[in-house]
Amino acid sequence: MRDYGAATHVWREEIHDLTILPGWDGAINDYFLVPVAAAFEPCGSLGREALAAELVEHFEWWSVDRLLSHNGREVFGPRDLPDRFARLVKDGSPSSLEQFVRAP
């Protein structure tokens, strides 16, 4: 996403859960809104093996409608991503970084 201009840091999710990754007590996920002028094929710059080590299986585009109507096996991070993203698209970027914590 380096080539697409300024990204807005919109959310920071802290996960406090000993069970999600053995040897770790949780995770911190940062979410950015990046404006783009045209569609492109999403991909990682780390390479397939490095992405697999980070537990990234694949990249995929999701529309707001598809997120909101989803009933498949995928689990979103954050868990309320469909509603959260729909609000972001409707209302625009928050005036300050939204931080939230998820615990078991």
Side-chain angles (χ1 to χ4, degrees), residues 13-63:
E13 175 187 36
E14 291 186 29
I15 302 169
H16 300 242
D17 185 343
L18 299 172
T19 65
I20 61 170
L21 290 170
W24 300 92
D25 62 358
I28 296 175
N29 296 316
D30 289 298
Y31 299 84
F32 297 85
L33 183 62
V34 181
V36 297
F40 60 92
E41 186 66 32
C43 64
S45 61
L46 295 177
R48 186 175 296 268
E49 287 182 19
L51 289 170
E54 293 290 327
L55 305 177
V56 175
E57 295 179 9
H58 67 278
F59 296 90
E60 189 172 341
W61 286 109
W62 290 68
S63 67

Side-chain angles (χ1 to χ4, degrees), residues 11 31 33 60-90:
W11 309 317
Y31 299 84
L33 183 62
E60 189 172 341
W61 286 109
W62 290 68
S63 67
V64 172
D65 290 339
R66 184 172 172 214
L67 285 168
L68 290 170
S69 65
H70 177 265
N71 61 2
R73 67 173 187 83
E74 292 84 3
V75 176
F76 297 118
R79 297 294 184 254
D80 63 344
L81 178 68
D83 293 326
R84 188 176 286 277
F85 187 66
R87 283 193 310 273
L88 182 65
V89 169
K90 178 181 170 255

